[in-house]
Amino acid sequence: MFTPSTRNSNPPANRLKHVLLLACFLCTLSWLALCVLNGGIQMRPFLPPGPKSVIQMNNSSFAISTLDMGISDEEWERLQKALDWPGPDQQITQLDLSTSPVHSTFSIVELKKSYKVGDNISVIITARDHNKNLKTYGGDFFKAKLFNSKLKASVYGEVVDHRNGTYSVLLLLPWEGQAQVFVRLEHSSEVVQILKKYRESSFPRSHYNGHFEGPGSKNTQISEVVECNLKWGPKGSLRKGKCCCEYKDIKTGIEWQCERPKKLSCDKLIGHSMGRFESPLNQFENHLFSG
């Protein structure tokens, strides 16, 4: 716990405002320079954009390009790098080798007695397993924040993964008064890999009920409820053959499958509702989530 002083000769907001004004001024000068070149605006012939690289999405039967997404190839590469998440360097089969929230620690770098508004607080997180051994790889999902219970204020910092079991955080102090550092392990790197595996798989987590209604014999009305689900990827998530009815959303192109009703035809589908939830986790993976 620490208390920032009230000295703040040049608030960050004012400095940012000056920088933005200067940037706008420079942009205006550059535009004027182009306009006065040779006495007027220089017209350039339109050149159509070159072909964009095609991106094959996981578990999908179609491909899209960066042009379709409205981004450049460089931006796509930056996004891929930002989404890259390190994982264990070996298969983890023992629970005690996963990251422990009890034995992992953090410390404030060069802790001072007082800080002023706008100062940065540097924090180092060290991950350990359940045997208190230092982790040698990254991938843990930590959250770190400054908070003040009295003011009901908090601010999160960006956690940088050094991929060797250590993490650094830079927290900006935005208020006067007391502040405390709070670090929480949301998911271990081992759990993150499980989430990633099932995110990229075609395992159907949620199932839906398809409601069918149609006329029966002797002026009766027949109602049937069967299980339905989305088709994931080119192979689909349900069985093939005459067992199922298939439907396609005209607007989105998403395909559905419903088990074929025993008495009614496929065109008697009137709607659907939420059904059961199926967990893909095995026994060991369940232990990792609860540990």
Side-chain angles (χ1 to χ4, degrees), residues 5-286:
S5 65
T6 58
R7 298 192 307 272
N8 191 8
S9 59
N10 193 4
N14 291 335
R15 292 199 300 269
L16 178 60
K17 181 179 179 181
H18 295 160
V19 172
L20 291 176
L21 289 174
L22 178 59
C24 293
F25 177 70
L26 292 176
C27 290
T28 303
L29 288 180
S30 300
W31 184 80
L32 290 173
L34 288 175
C35 289
V36 300
L37 184 63
N38 291 334
I41 299 177
Q42 293 296 303
M43 303 299 293
R44 296 182 179 181
F46 172 74
L47 297 176
K52 296 292 184 178
S53 58
V54 175
I55 302 164
Q56 184 70 37
M57 307 300 289
N58 291 336
N59 300 306
S60 177
S61 57
F62 64 92
I64 59 175
S65 68
T66 52
L67 181 61
D68 296 328
M69 295 187 293
I71 62 175
S72 64
D73 292 336
E74 293 76 14
E75 181 66 18
W76 173 255
E77 293 297 331
R78 285 195 294 268
L79 288 173
Q80 292 299 299
K81 185 176 180 180
L83 292 174
D84 180 41
W85 198 282
D89 52 7
Q90 59 182 339
Q91 185 177 2
I92 302 300
T93 58
Q94 295 178 338
L95 181 62
D96 58 359
L97 297 180
S98 62
T99 306
S100 168
V102 176
H103 299 119
S104 297
T105 59
F106 75 89
S107 60
I108 299 175
V109 180
E110 298 180 356
L111 177 62
K112 297 184 292 187
K113 292 183 178 180
S114 63
Y115 295 79
K116 58 185 178 182
V117 174
D119 281 350
N120 287 319
I121 314 299
S122 299
V123 177
I124 294 294
I125 305 172
T126 303
R128 288 181 169 84
D129 62 22
H130 291 267
N131 298 321
K132 301 182 181 180
N133 296 321
L134 294 173
K135 300 295 291 287
T136 59
Y137 52 84
D140 296 301
F141 180 20
F142 283 103
K143 282 185 177 180
K145 71 176 181 178
L146 283 175
F147 74 96
N148 183 307
S149 300
K150 185 177 181 180
L151 297 176
K152 296 182 179 180
S154 63
V155 57
Y156 282 90
E158 180 181 358
V159 179
V160 178
D161 188 347
H162 298 291
R163 303 193 176 216
N164 59 2
T166 63
Y167 305 79
S168 59
V169 191
L170 205 60
L171 296 163
L172 175 66
L173 182 60
W175 61 74
E176 297 178 8
Q178 294 180 341
Q180 290 179 281
V181 177
F182 178 80
V183 176
R184 177 186 176 92
L185 175 64
E186 293 289 336
H187 290 303
S188 68
S189 56
E190 293 75 22
V191 168
V192 170
Q193 292 305 305
I194 296 173
L195 293 173
K196 181 179 178 181
K197 179 180 71 172
Y198 288 113
R199 183 196 67 187
E200 298 174 349
S201 73
S202 59
F203 187 91
R205 290 78 151 171
S206 301
H207 295 266
Y208 301 86
N209 295 322
H211 297 262
F212 291 77
E213 286 187 4
S217 58
K218 299 181 181 181
N219 295 326
T220 59
Q221 191 76 3
I222 301 176
S223 297
E224 291 188 73
V225 179
V226 299
E227 190 170 275
C228 303
N229 214 322
L230 292 169
K231 289 181 65 178
W232 291 83
K235 295 183 180 180
S237 59
L238 295 180
R239 294 169 295 171
K240 293 293 184 179
K242 297 181 179 180
C243 67
C244 305
C245 301
E246 295 193 359
Y247 307 92
K248 186 174 183 178
D249 189 290
I250 299 177
K251 293 182 179 180
T252 64
I254 296 176
E255 295 184 355
W256 285 75
Q257 283 184 325
C258 291
E259 293 181 353
R260 188 178 295 274
K262 295 181 180 179
K263 298 180 181 179
L264 297 173
S265 59
C266 293
D267 61 348
K268 301 302 180 183
L269 176 68
I270 62 170
H272 68 275
S273 62
M274 191 65 193
R276 64 186 177 90
F277 176 80
E278 184 176 0
S279 174
L281 304 179
N282 57 39
Q283 185 176 3
F284 176 69
E285 291 170 344
N286 273 316

